[in-house]
Amino acid sequence: MPETWWRNAVTYQIYPRSFADTNADGIGDLPGTTSKMDYLAWLGVDAIWLTPCYRSCWLDGGYDVTDHRDIDPTLGTLRDFDRMVAAAHEHGIRVLIDIVPNHTSDRHEWFQRALAAEPGSPARDRYIFRDGKGPTGEQPPSNWESRFGGRAWSAVADGQWYLHLFTPQQPDLNWANPEVRAEFLDILRFWGRRGVDGFRIDVAAALIKDLREPLRDVVGGEGSSGLDDFAANPDHPFLDRPEVHDVYREWNRVFREFDPPLIGVAEAWVRGQRRVRYLRPGELQQAFNFEFLRVRWNAAEYRRIVTESINGARSVGTAATWVLANHDVVRQVSALGLPDDVDLQVWLASNGTEPPTDLELGTRRARAAILFALALPGSAYLYQGEELGLPEVADLPAAVLQDPKWVRSQHKEKGRDGCRVPLPWTRTGVSFGFSSAPPWLPQPADWGRYAVQAQRGDPGSMLRLYRTALRLRREFGGDETFRWDDDYDVGDVLAFRRAEDVLVVVNTGATTKPLPRGEVLLSSAPLGTGTLPADTTAWLRLR
């Protein structure tokens, strides 16, 4: 395995609870993931990334971890994990897993000890406990807000408050504590020895907090403390602190204890040069480009972000990382079928009715968008079900919602369950082949038409488009040459050269555009004679 396999890899994200179930409880599991390795190899991915499989109370999709060195019984055992890794490697597929270093579950042994200990004790110092403001400490120590709504502090019985940037059941760890740092170095080694190839780092930019007294309030008003606040100042009290890079330099030294070295990909909701800093030599290998994900089919924005991202990555000797979807955002087919000015959270709150999404348009754009993303130099991350063209399940009834955003936002934000509905594998069945039992989140009645079984033999399907694109990408993906083509890259049309003779043309406009002459390698929709229809991408080999 070459050390830099990740530079041009395509990684497929798996949300295990919604991928495949083998024990008939309606919840996906690790043996289910193992059972689909032939499918993943057929699709043509280079690696998989699994969201958390650790022991958890499942109050936040597994991101409330009670034991970082064990598998949750609902998903399997450590032995099942080892078998899954072995099966992936036998298929030539590498394995990345989530690591959750910002917080633990409140049921974690450490936090239970902290609650039983006195203020100022070593047990409490592993977390962030502070006295409150006001005459009796009745007010929180600062105005910091939870990412899921409400304040980011909760009081305990003795009157102190603890910090949680997410739910109260996810207390933040104190990364100024050497014991916390040593613990996670050991966790990295534990999973590295079990054969994983790397880690996706949850909340990578928020580990370090400025805990100097008195704690600083966040300036900017309601919502300004969100973890995706791109406009956050460079001296934010808990976002993208410069000291966080010391953590990743330390992690990099652990990565290099393995052969080939492990890799880290940062979930860091920062942009431009602030994202690039995570990619400097001796730190992490990749960082998700969430600016790219957030663009709603706008050529000028794509052009700006692609240029900045490629140049930024090259400036530190690495390659860019592209992502269009994940387990936290509205699925592409639905998002791209809505007007640009629609707030997706407001749309979800209406159960996807205000306005109704144009799924035909969304599907057409999603097909064009994936060919655009896969043609760019660097690595790409795909989210399970996007290759099937699954829409967001926006009308899940309130009674089945499990995302803590729903409760924490006082039912203003419906949350992320709609993109986590279990996959359909077969045209029929109680859960369309996902399980022999009803799934943990209900699937729409028409999902059989999206099933792998329904699409695998259809050359015009979304699934076959993905597979063909991944196969063709290997022919030029290793060549990181990229330049905009000044002859065609104008207005609503994006055009760029890859390798020596590949031209990629993306029409984000509403009208048909002229298409350069060349051999058509792949297109997201049927082409006219010498023309590129609206919302279409074509890969050409120039004559």
Side-chain angles (χ1 to χ4, degrees), residues 300-327:
E301 279 297 288
Y302 280 133
R303 192 175 289 114
R304 177 186 65 80
I305 291 167
V306 167
T307 299
E308 290 180 359
S309 299
I310 292 175
N311 290 343
R314 286 175 174 172
S315 73
V316 290
T318 189
T321 299
W322 311 103
V323 57
L324 287 173
N326 62 33
H327 64 296

Side-chain angles (χ1 to χ4, degrees), residues 302-382:
Y302 280 133
R303 192 175 289 114
R304 177 186 65 80
I305 291 167
V306 167
T307 299
E308 290 180 359
S309 299
I310 292 175
N311 290 343
R314 286 175 174 172
S315 73
V316 290
T318 189
T321 299
W322 311 103
V323 57
L324 287 173
N326 62 33
H327 64 296
D328 286 333
V329 299
V330 171
R331 286 195 177 276
Q332 282 274 289
V333 162
S334 295
L336 293 177
L338 291 167
D340 293 351
D341 59 353
V342 170
D343 184 315
L344 294 179
Q345 292 306 316
V346 174
W347 176 77
L348 282 174
S350 75
N351 289 328
T353 62
E354 298 178 13
T357 188
D358 183 340
L359 286 181
E360 182 178 351
L361 175 64
T363 299
R364 185 179 182 89
R365 288 180 171 177
R367 290 172 64 94
I370 193 59
L371 290 197
F372 172 35
L374 289 177
L376 293 169
S379 63
Y381 280 73
L382 313 176

Side-chain angles (χ1 to χ4, degrees), residues 156-235:
V156 298
D158 59 27
Q160 278 205 311
W161 299 72
Y162 69 89
L163 178 69
H164 51 85
L165 292 184
F166 293 86
T167 69
Q169 294 80 23
Q170 295 166 286
D172 279 38
L173 289 161
N174 176 17
W175 275 83
N177 185 315
E179 192 174 358
V180 171
R181 293 194 180 217
E183 172 74 353
F184 274 87
L185 295 180
D186 189 70
I187 291 168
L188 294 173
R189 292 184 177 104
F190 176 87
W191 294 105
R193 289 191 293 266
R194 298 201 90 93
V196 306
D197 299 283
F199 302 90
R200 176 266 192 185
I201 305 163
D202 187 56
V203 199
L207 303 190
I208 302 296
K209 284 82 174 176
D210 181 1
L211 299 177
R212 293 171 295 179
E213 297 288 354
L215 296 180
R216 292 184 292 138
D217 283 346
V218 173
V219 177
E222 183 179 357
S224 64
S225 59
L227 293 173
D228 54 355
D229 179 12
F230 282 157
N233 68 67
D235 190 29

